[in-house]
Amino acid sequence: MATPTPAAPAIARVSPCPLRAYDNAPARSALCSTRISCFNLVSMQSWTFSLDEISGAICKAGLSLGDMIELADVTVFVHAIRQGSLSAAGRWLGLTPVAASRRLATLEQELGVRLVNRTIRSLSLTPEGEAFLPHAEAMLDHAEEGRAAAAPDNAGASGVLRIAASVPFGRKVVTPMLALFLGMHPRLRVELRLSDALVDIAGEGIDIALRLGELRENGLIARRLADNPRGLYAAPAYLAAHGTPASLKDLQHHECLSTPATTHWIFDSNGRSVRQAIKGRFVADSVEALHEASVSGLGIVGLSEWNVREEVANGRLTPVALADGTLADQGIWAVLASRRHQPAKLRLFLEAFGTYLTEFGQTFRSDPCQTPGRLENLGSPIVPSSTHSL
């Protein structure tokens, strides 16, 4: 039977049946009268297909119904790796350990390879499992995106949202916001990955990276969410012992706390960007370590205002103002791997986090010891990041 090619995605409604029954002749004969109805949302046309017609199309593609992978089996595999055991995955998914083990075994049988090495206390991925895992995670993500796309606009965010951020920013700014955001979206789960090092967004399956400063990666998509005022700070004891610098050149005679690769600080001076050489006896690849070193009196540090507000308020750190320059504000950015496939969970988070940062800045200026307690919608255009660097 000739069938027209739909002009837009169609919704199919299929009578439930076990896939493996198709390889059984009696069962196949009993099911051959089952029909599948497809409805095109744009043209308002509908078509009906028999199981034989669908089976024929699959065979012409060089496949069989046995090649299909059960999404439920993939879900068990992914959660077993995330949770560290099949029993933990079963508890998360509402399955008994035996049922979870059977689903994993079924998936391995379908693929024809062993995905994990099982011991009494742990699971470890085989080389084949390591190769399959990112594809399995992508399958679950796309399935969740499909459900979200078909859900009403007011259904809220759902699925898993993976966010990367630096350790202090994630702890002090992102986590308090997520406490509010998750309360608004009960069907959403968040994986927050904190590291002061740059992460491979696409390679690690990150939905969004929140970064401070300029962005170096070409080809990524970035959106500036808010300003990020920064300043120089030192402990009162350090300033009492070494004096307070008054100009950029004075920094040459002070202990400046920085990362190992940093040789200059960038300042805004009379409308232009100025690089000032710095040096110091203490360096660290952790922002929190530099923060603690400054509180301990080891030297002068350049940090974001949000990161030192408590220490400034209680007198443990003192702002250091220079007459001829201020640390450059390079912004707070949201970085995405692609402009495509932005599900509702990502759009809603971007809007809510932009609002939170706006309120966070306003609250900080009025009371440095408080954080925002509400969220509203706020959005702004997404722009390419090729002209920015971190």
Side-chain angles (χ1 to χ4, degrees):
M1 147 177 134
T3 58
T5 300
I11 295 177
R13 194 171 298 276
V14 188
S15 302
C17 58
L19 291 178
R20 290 171 185 78
Y22 288 85
D23 294 327
N24 180 280
R28 179 185 176 87
S29 176
L31 291 169
C32 67
S33 61
T34 301
R35 311 291 288 179
I36 299 177
S37 297
C38 296
F39 183 72
N40 190 291
L41 296 176
V42 177
S43 65
M44 306 301 289
Q45 293 177 294
S46 63
W47 302 270
T48 302
F49 304 93
S50 70
L51 294 180
D52 278 339
E53 290 164 346
I54 294 174
S55 179
I58 292 174
C59 291
K60 287 181 180 179
L63 302 172
S64 70
L65 288 168
D67 294 322
M68 293 185 176
I69 296 175
E70 292 277 5
L71 197 62
D73 300 341
V74 176
T75 302
V76 169
F77 167 64
V78 171
H79 280 280
I81 300 305
R82 290 177 179 173
Q83 304 293 329
S85 69
L86 277 170
S87 58
R91 288 193 297 270
W92 180 271
L93 298 170
L95 300 173
T96 65
V98 173
S101 180
R102 286 175 178 171
R103 286 206 170 272
L104 178 58
T106 299
L107 178 61
E108 290 178 324
Q109 182 178 357
E110 291 286 354
L111 296 174
V113 297
R114 178 177 290 276
L115 297 173
V116 297
N117 295 313
R118 303 169 179 80
T119 65
I120 296 177
R121 296 185 179 180
S122 65
L123 294 176
S124 63
L125 285 170
T126 64
E128 293 80 6
E130 290 181 356
F132 180 66
L133 181 59
H135 299 283
E137 291 176 329
M139 290 171 65
L140 299 186
D141 288 344
H142 285 306
E144 190 60 45
E145 290 172 11
R147 296 188 189 99
D153 291 340
N154 60 355
S158 62
V160 180
L161 180 63
R162 298 182 179 91
I163 304 170
S166 68
V167 177
F169 189 67
R171 182 169 61 87
K172 294 185 177 182
V173 180
V174 181
T175 299
M177 177 270 176
L178 287 174
L180 300 173
F181 189 67
L182 287 171
M184 298 166 57
H185 301 280
R187 297 188 300 132
L188 179 70
R189 187 167 70 89
V190 170
E191 291 183 9
L192 179 60
R193 304 182 186 182
L194 302 183
S195 172
D196 290 337
L198 290 180
V199 297
D200 180 358
I201 299 176
E204 298 188 23
I206 301 296
D207 295 302
I208 180 172
L210 302 172
R211 294 183 177 168
L212 311 179
E214 295 180 305
L215 312 175
R216 291 197 181 100
E217 299 96 329
N218 292 330
L220 297 178
I221 304 301
R223 167 178 172 176
R224 184 169 178 136
L225 299 176
D227 294 336
N228 184 40
R230 299 187 302 147
L232 299 179
Y233 302 91
Y238 174 86
L239 297 177
H242 299 86
T244 301
S247 67
L248 294 176
K249 289 185 178 181
D250 289 346
L251 292 176
Q252 299 176 4
H253 309 293
H254 281 269
E255 295 288 332
C256 295
L257 308 175
S258 66
T259 59
T262 301
T263 59
H264 294 74
W265 281 340
I266 301 176
F267 292 85
D268 290 330
S269 179
N270 298 321
R272 61 191 181 93
S273 181
V274 175
R275 289 166 53 88
Q276 175 60 50
I278 60 168
K279 61 181 180 179
R281 293 183 300 137
F282 180 86
V283 296
D285 61 359
S286 164
V287 174
E288 291 198 330
L290 296 174
H291 189 166
E292 288 301 317
S294 65
V295 172
S296 299
L298 290 183
I300 300 173
V301 68
L303 293 173
S304 302
E305 287 183 357
W306 55 262
N307 202 5
V308 296
R309 60 182 186 173
E310 293 182 7
E311 289 81 2
V312 171
N314 61 31
R316 299 176 68 198
L317 286 177
T318 300
V320 176
L322 305 179
D324 53 353
T326 58
L327 279 179
D329 178 352
Q330 297 170 333
I332 299 173
W333 294 83
V335 182
L336 298 83
S338 171
R339 190 186 301 271
R340 299 178 296 119
H341 303 304
Q342 293 181 13
K345 61 184 179 183
L346 184 55
R347 295 195 304 272
L348 291 170
F349 174 78
L350 282 170
E351 293 170 357
F353 194 60
T355 298
Y356 183 85
L357 290 176
T358 299
E359 296 183 1
F360 187 90
Q362 294 172 349
T363 304
F364 175 81
R365 286 187 289 272
S366 61
D367 187 348
C369 293
Q370 296 298 320
T371 56
R374 61 188 180 87
L375 292 174
E376 297 173 354
N377 288 330
L378 178 69
S380 62
I382 293 181
V383 299
S385 72
S386 57
T387 58
H388 305 284
S389 61
L390 175 59

